[in-house]
């Protein structure tokens, strides 16, 4: 099986942030507020990636908030990051009732748009909430396993009123772990999308 050679998920994500945020002129402030939507236990890797990205730029520590519909989804991460990060179990369609923005970075890694018919509608509502709590200078970063999730995610992000800066193959994907129903390789962070609030 082919394995992408970009290291552990935290190293990959540190490279992803380093390359894509600077490519699109996103300025990350000191101790940025970071929201991770549908974080699961991957929150650990994302937190470590932020530590590495920020320390290389002398930007301090992230104010990290992970949200997921299910408490069990992030229980290990919460244990591992006790005292360092905040975790909230909630439906992200009601995000602005549970978190206070603005967030300088919002991560949404592998939202499952195709697992149900309602997926695109559900995630559009989530992205509308994300747009509400995103800082005017902040960046929304989404990744997908495969194109069948990525294209509807891109459409939902646009419908949610965010301006897409980039959408396409990620230069730093992770492992291929399965094949989709149409034979496409499923791969961690295979596609990436960056978006921001539209300039008025
Ligand atoms: C495919 S998993 C991805 C988990 C993690 N981001 C990763 O990349 O490993 C999708 C996650 O989204 C969460 N989720 C699904 N619907 C949600 C919603 N409406 N609000 C918040 N989280 C949700 C699930 O519980 C699950 O943990």
């Amino acid at each position: 099986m082919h394995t992408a050679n970009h290291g552990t998920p935290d190293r990959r994500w540190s490279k992803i942030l380093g390359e894509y945020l600077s490519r699109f002129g996103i300025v990350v402030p000191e101790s940025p507020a970071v929201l991770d939507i549908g974080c699961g236990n991957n929150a650990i890797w994302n937190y470590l990636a932020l530590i590495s990205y920020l320390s290389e730029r002398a930007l301090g520590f992230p104010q990290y908030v992970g949200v997921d519909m299910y408490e069990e989804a992030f229980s290990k991460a919460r244990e591992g990051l006790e005292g360092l990060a905040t975790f909230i179990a909630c439906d992200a369609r009601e995000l602005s009732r549970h978190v206070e923005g603005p967030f300088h970075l919002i991560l949404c890694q592998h939202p499952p748009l195709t697992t149900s018919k309602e997926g695109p509608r559900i995630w559009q509502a989530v992205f509308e909430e994300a747009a509400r709590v995103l800082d005017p200078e902040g960046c929304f970063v989404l990744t997908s396993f495969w194109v069948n999730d990525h294209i509807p995610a891109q459409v939902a992000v646009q419908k949610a009123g965010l301006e897409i800066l980039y959408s396409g193959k990620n230069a730093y994907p992770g492992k291929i772990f399965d094949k989709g129903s149409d034979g496409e390789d499923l791969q961690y962070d295979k596609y990436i999308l960056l978006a921001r609030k539209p300039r008025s």
Side-chain angles (χ1 to χ4, degrees):
M1 181 186 274
H2 164 77
T3 313
N5 191 23
H6 298 299
T8 52
D10 57 325
R11 289 185 62 100
R12 283 196 305 103
W13 266 88
S14 182
K15 289 179 194 164
I16 289 170
L17 296 173
E19 164 142 356
Y20 288 97
L21 296 181
S22 74
R23 198 196 288 183
F24 295 99
I26 305 295
V27 178
V28 177
E30 203 168 331
S31 303
V34 181
L35 178 66
D36 192 343
I37 300 177
C39 62
N41 282 318
N42 236 31
I44 292 252
W45 293 113
N46 294 348
Y47 185 86
L48 292 175
L50 286 160
I51 290 289
S52 150
Y53 172 84
L54 295 174
S55 73
E56 280 167 20
R57 292 159 182 82
L59 288 173
F61 290 89
Q63 303 170 62
Y64 176 97
V65 180
V67 301
D68 200 290
M69 182 87 112
Y70 308 107
E71 202 155 339
E72 316 84 75
F74 56 62
S75 55
K76 282 193 187 129
R78 178 159 64 184
E79 206 181 308
L81 295 174
E82 204 183 339
L84 297 171
T86 304
F87 289 91
I88 299 167
C90 70
D91 184 336
R93 285 173 289 181
E94 298 174 348
L95 205 50
S96 55
R97 283 173 45 187
H98 297 271
V99 300
E100 224 183 285
F103 290 92
H104 304 107
L105 271 181
I106 298 184
L107 311 177
C108 189
Q109 196 185 6
H110 311 125
L113 271 86
T114 46
T115 48
S116 79
K117 248 185 165 175
E118 295 76 37
R121 197 174 40 77
I122 291 172
W123 285 93
Q124 183 185 327
V126 172
F127 302 152
E128 281 166 7
E129 283 290 280
R132 220 162 260 152
V133 297
L134 182 62
D135 186 273
E137 300 302 320
C139 190
F140 174 84
V141 184
L142 174 148
T143 61
S144 315
F145 294 133
W146 63 332
V147 79
N148 280 9
D149 268 334
H150 198 69
I151 298 300
Q154 180 181 314
V155 171
V157 168
Q158 277 167 324
K159 283 188 178 168
L162 288 166
E163 176 187 309
I164 293 181
L165 298 169
Y166 176 80
S167 181
K169 276 272 184 97
N170 176 14
Y172 305 103
K175 282 184 187 165
I176 293 171
F177 62 93
D178 204 350
K179 269 197 194 301
S181 47
D182 61 359
E184 183 187 346
D185 284 334
L186 304 187
Q187 186 171 20
Y188 293 103
D189 305 306
K190 184 173 184 178
Y191 295 95
I192 186 163
L193 176 155
L194 278 85
R196 70 176 175 196
K197 286 196 171 186
R199 295 289 182 262
S200 48

